[in-house]
């Protein structure tokens, strides 16, 4: 009943107090993470994420992943830390990663949460692949509608119509998900995780199942960084191959902290179009919000070769957004 005592002391519910106690116990169990939190190198959310990610690992594996994530978390956002952790864990023990996926798959469900003002929320817990397919279908139909509703309102109305078996009023189009995986994994030579666009690492077997029924494209990656540099084969509108390359390289919107998948983003020139600069080193994936921000506010973006984007805020602060590897970088010599 410690939660009851702490809850009374802090004037919060015993359930919330128990959560705080649990967080404290988890952090205390990982001294290196706790030290990084106390020193201000990471915040509480990142610290708890690291503790949660290493929990299912052996003691030796946990120490390896913990050290890598503490260093990585200092300069990366929450979602990238989670993806990096999942990739590391899947590489350390791919069979355990596949087993945990099967266990979690059994927890799929639908929940109804009552809200104020005669509203409610439905929450679906699917596999990452199922969620990506469902979202893509809803989003494609919503984008095919042209009326006064916001995109959120259109998606909600489309989802209701689909669930109720009604006509949606727009073409449904082809549902797509984008997955990258090494050729060695595709040929079952190893168990490297695949990368599901908009989500992150998925078990090798799941990635192979998706690839078996999909359309394949060859993507070459830099052997040192793992970043996409070429997609199989100037005008203002990028060619299909160039567009594929930029989206594969950027993975998400290149704005700082934005995780909108690149395949849902605009391809925007860094410098004004001059007839010659529709090239990978002058293009970046930007969601519509950050595309508008770049053109109509005092935010500035500079692009360096290799997909490195430097953002300068209206207050003069500078942030560097480096491309995400979609393959494992070569080990240091």
């Amino acid at each position: 009943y410690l939660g009851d005592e702490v809850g009374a002391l802090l004037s919060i519910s015993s359930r919330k107090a128990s959560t705080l106690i649990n967080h404290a116990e988890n952090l205390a169990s990982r001294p290196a993470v706790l030290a990084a939190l106390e020193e201000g190198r990471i915040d509480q959310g990142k610290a708890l994420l690291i503790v949660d990610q290493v929990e299912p690992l052996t003691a030796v594996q946990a120490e390896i992943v913990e050290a890598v994530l503490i260093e990585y978390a200092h300069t990366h956002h929450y979602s990238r830390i989670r993806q990096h952790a999942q990739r590391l864990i899947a590489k350390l023990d791919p069979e355990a990663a596949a087993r945990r996926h099967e266990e979690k798959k059994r927890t799929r469900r639908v929940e109804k949460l009552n809200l104020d003002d005669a509203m409610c929320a439905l929450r679906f817990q699917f596999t990452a692949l199922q969620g990506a397919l469902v979202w893509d279908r809803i989003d494609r139909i919503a984008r095919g509608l042209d009326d006064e509703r916001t995109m959120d309102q259109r998606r909600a109305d489309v989802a209701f119509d689909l669930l109720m078996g009604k006509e949606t009023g727009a073409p449904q189009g082809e549902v797509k998900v984008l997955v990258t995986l090494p050729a060695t994994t595709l040929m079952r030579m190893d168990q490297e995780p695949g990368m599901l666009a908009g989500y992150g690492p998925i078990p090798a077997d799941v990635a192979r199942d998706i690839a078996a029924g999909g359309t394949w494209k060859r993507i070459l990656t830099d052997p040192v960084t793992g970043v996409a540099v070429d997609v199989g084969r100037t005008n203002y509108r990028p060619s299909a191959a160039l567009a594929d390359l930029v989206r594969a390289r950027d993975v998400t919107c290149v704005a700082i902290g934005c995780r909108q998948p690149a395949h849902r983003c605009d391809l925007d020139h860094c410098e004004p179009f001059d007839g010659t600069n529709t090239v990978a080193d002058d293009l970046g994936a930007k969601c519509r919000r950050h595309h508008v921000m770049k053109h109509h506010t005092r935010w500035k973006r500079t692009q360096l070769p290799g997909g490195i984007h430097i953002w300068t805020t209206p207050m003069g602060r500078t942030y560097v957004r480096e491309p995400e590897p979609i393959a494992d970088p070569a080990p240091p010599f």
Side-chain angles (χ1 to χ4, degrees):
Y1 296 96
L2 184 57
D4 294 84
E5 182 170 354
V6 173
L9 178 66
L10 300 179
S11 298
I12 59 177
S13 69
S14 60
R15 182 176 181 180
K16 186 172 183 179
S18 296
T19 299
L20 292 176
I21 294 168
N22 184 56
H23 287 169
E25 290 175 334
N26 289 340
L27 288 170
S29 71
R30 309 300 314 179
V33 178
L34 184 58
L37 174 62
E38 291 174 335
E39 294 164 8
R41 288 184 285 144
I42 57 176
D43 61 27
Q44 179 177 301
K46 292 179 179 180
L48 292 171
L49 171 65
I50 295 171
V51 170
D52 181 64
Q53 291 295 317
V54 303
E55 190 274 331
L57 302 176
T58 66
V60 174
Q61 291 173 338
E63 284 194 19
I64 294 171
V65 174
E66 176 186 74
V68 173
L69 292 182
I70 289 173
E71 183 66 26
Y72 189 83
H74 182 59
T75 55
H76 291 84
H77 291 272
Y78 188 94
S79 58
R80 287 190 71 170
I81 300 167
R82 185 191 65 78
Q83 290 190 5
H84 194 60
Q86 290 290 299
R87 189 161 191 158
L88 283 173
I89 292 168
K91 286 175 61 61
L92 280 173
D93 194 346
E95 291 185 1
R99 186 174 62 252
R100 287 194 299 271
H101 171 69
E102 289 301 318
E103 291 171 355
K104 288 291 181 67
K105 193 161 71 171
R106 289 195 286 271
T107 68
R108 61 191 183 277
R109 60 185 179 272
V110 180
E111 297 176 311
K112 184 171 85 71
L113 308 175
N114 292 328
L115 305 176
D116 294 336
D117 303 315
M119 298 292 288
C120 81
L122 287 180
R123 184 166 63 186
F124 298 81
Q125 185 161 316
F126 293 141
T127 66
L129 173 60
Q130 290 173 327
L133 289 169
V134 169
W135 172 265
D136 191 75
R137 185 178 186 192
I138 291 172
D139 187 64
R140 285 177 183 274
I141 296 173
R143 292 182 185 280
L145 301 171
D146 185 14
D147 52 43
E148 72 285 354
R149 291 175 295 176
T150 66
M151 279 301 301
D152 283 338
Q153 291 168 348
R154 288 185 217 165
R155 291 190 190 103
D157 294 342
V158 166
F160 178 79
D161 289 343
L162 289 173
L163 288 169
M164 299 303 293
K166 297 181 179 179
E167 293 294 328
T168 60
Q172 297 194 8
E174 181 184 4
V175 178
K176 295 180 181 179
V177 295
L178 302 179
V179 176
T180 57
L181 72 161
T184 51
T185 302
L186 188 62
M187 294 184 289
R188 298 185 180 274
M189 296 171 61
D190 56 42
Q191 289 290 100
E192 295 292 313
M195 293 291 288
L196 176 63
Y199 175 78
I202 57 176
D205 285 341
V206 176
R208 278 192 288 261
D209 288 343
I210 298 171
T215 300
W216 299 3
K217 288 189 178 182
R218 175 185 61 87
I219 300 177
L220 296 181
T221 58
D222 186 302
V224 176
T225 65
V227 174
V229 295
D230 186 41
V231 177
R233 293 292 63 103
T234 54
N235 42 31
Y236 184 80
R237 184 175 297 278
S239 67
L242 177 57
D244 286 343
L245 169 59
V246 172
R247 291 188 169 109
R249 179 199 66 196
D250 293 343
V251 182
T252 67
C253 170
V254 297
I256 301 300
C258 184
R259 301 304 296 170
Q260 183 71 248
H263 67 275
R264 296 199 192 106
C265 293
D266 302 330
L267 296 186
D268 180 42
H269 285 82
C270 179
E271 300 297 330
F273 177 63
D274 62 8
T276 65
N277 61 337
T278 301
V279 294
D281 283 341
D282 196 67
L283 290 171
K286 287 197 203 69
C287 69
R288 187 56 54 87
R289 178 174 183 272
H290 289 119
H291 192 166
V292 172
M293 179 186 82
K294 180 249 185 179
H295 285 287
H296 298 287
T297 72
R298 291 189 295 118
W299 280 76
K300 303 297 181 184
R301 178 175 70 95
T302 303
Q303 186 166 339
L304 302 180
I308 297 173
H309 300 267
I310 301 175
W311 289 89
T312 304
T313 74
M315 296 183 68
R317 294 186 176 90
T318 299
Y319 299 91
V320 178
R321 195 277 192 185
E322 296 184 350
E324 300 180 37
I326 62 172
D328 288 323
F333 295 102

